[in-house]
Amino acid sequence: MLTAKGAATRRRIVEGAAAEIRENGIAALTLDDIRARTSTSKSQIFHYFPGGKEELLLAVAAREADRVIEDQQPHLGDLTTWQAWQDWRDAVVRRYEQQGVNCPLGVLMTELGRSTPAAQALTARLIEQWQAALRAGIAGMQETGEVDRRLDPDRTAAALLAAVQGGVTILMSTGRTTHLEAALDTSLALLRQSASAPFADPRVRPAATP
């Protein structure tokens, strides 16, 4: 167990490493960069992260994963009206506008390797949390008749999350949020129209015309 002072120092190292990645990327990141930014010594860094740079980067990734969810609140946890969905959409766009092309979580997952069990588990936890919140919002809107009850809330949430992540991936390549905004706006428009539109299961192909 860390003392309050020790926990604060560890947190400062993690936050400093994340800030360094946001500003300068990860390619040339060194422990000396982190030490200088956080006013800590290498011995302190290895005290809190005995596994060295990889263990520190995993801690940064965990913090960034938490921040992804935090930055969408309180909207993500209260998707009970269309205005709440719009506010959530705006919060997501704003987050990635401010972040720019250097996404700490994205580059960290690449650096750590998606096949690394710890990194893989971290990504899975983030996706599960995010998708669960969207699923709850969709299910709640179905209860009030705002969304078609025949839609599968989990699949719909998964599709919406995939749309967001696709937009973020393009943002990281281009520096523009155009595709992210289009993905969100189109997905929400279709969701909103679902209650009044005829339902068609996308997995079922129409019969061929004779």
Side-chain angles (χ1 to χ4, degrees):
M1 294 293 292
L2 296 176
T3 63
K5 183 178 179 181
T9 301
R10 185 183 188 280
R11 184 165 54 250
R12 187 169 78 253
I13 293 170
V14 170
E15 295 287 353
E20 191 70 28
I21 293 169
R22 278 194 203 90
E23 292 178 15
N24 303 309
I26 199 172
L29 180 70
T30 67
L31 291 181
D32 283 334
D33 296 327
I34 298 168
R35 179 191 57 76
R37 179 180 282 268
T38 59
S39 300
T40 53
S41 64
K42 279 192 175 181
S43 62
Q44 283 179 299
I45 292 176
F46 279 101
H47 172 73
Y48 294 107
F49 304 98
K53 184 177 177 181
E54 183 172 330
E55 184 177 346
L56 171 56
L57 293 182
L58 188 60
V60 174
R63 178 66 191 101
E64 289 299 311
D66 289 339
R67 183 175 281 130
V68 168
I69 300 298
E70 290 170 5
D71 287 350
Q72 298 176 61
Q73 300 296 4
H75 317 297
L76 183 61
D78 188 31
L79 296 172
T80 55
T81 65
W82 289 120
Q83 184 59 54
W85 280 93
Q86 183 63 40
D87 291 342
W88 167 75
R89 174 264 187 215
D90 293 344
V92 171
V93 172
R94 184 166 57 251
R95 179 190 197 280
Y96 288 105
E97 277 181 335
Q98 293 172 349
Q99 177 179 274
V101 297
N102 284 328
C103 170
L105 185 59
V107 296
L108 283 165
M109 288 299 97
T110 301
E111 175 75 10
L112 293 168
R114 298 184 190 281
S115 60
T116 302
Q120 198 172 52
L122 183 62
T123 303
R125 177 173 64 85
L126 170 61
I127 295 300
E128 287 169 5
Q129 285 183 296
W130 199 344
Q131 187 169 327
L134 293 172
R135 179 174 63 242
I138 292 166
M141 296 292 277
Q142 287 177 315
E143 289 299 315
T144 60
E146 299 286 344
V147 171
D148 195 312
R149 290 173 181 265
R150 292 169 292 181
L151 289 176
D152 182 324
D154 196 52
R155 284 176 61 85
T156 305
L160 183 53
L161 180 52
V164 172
Q165 288 303 296
V168 170
T169 299
I170 295 175
L171 164 65
M172 291 175 65
S173 300
T174 65
R176 298 192 298 272
T177 61
T178 308
H179 295 81
L180 173 60
E181 293 184 63
L184 280 166
D185 291 341
T186 302
S187 297
L188 292 183
L190 292 172
L191 190 62
R192 191 164 189 168
Q193 293 167 8
S194 68
S196 57
F199 181 81
D201 191 329
R203 294 168 296 179
V204 179
R205 295 184 178 181
T209 304

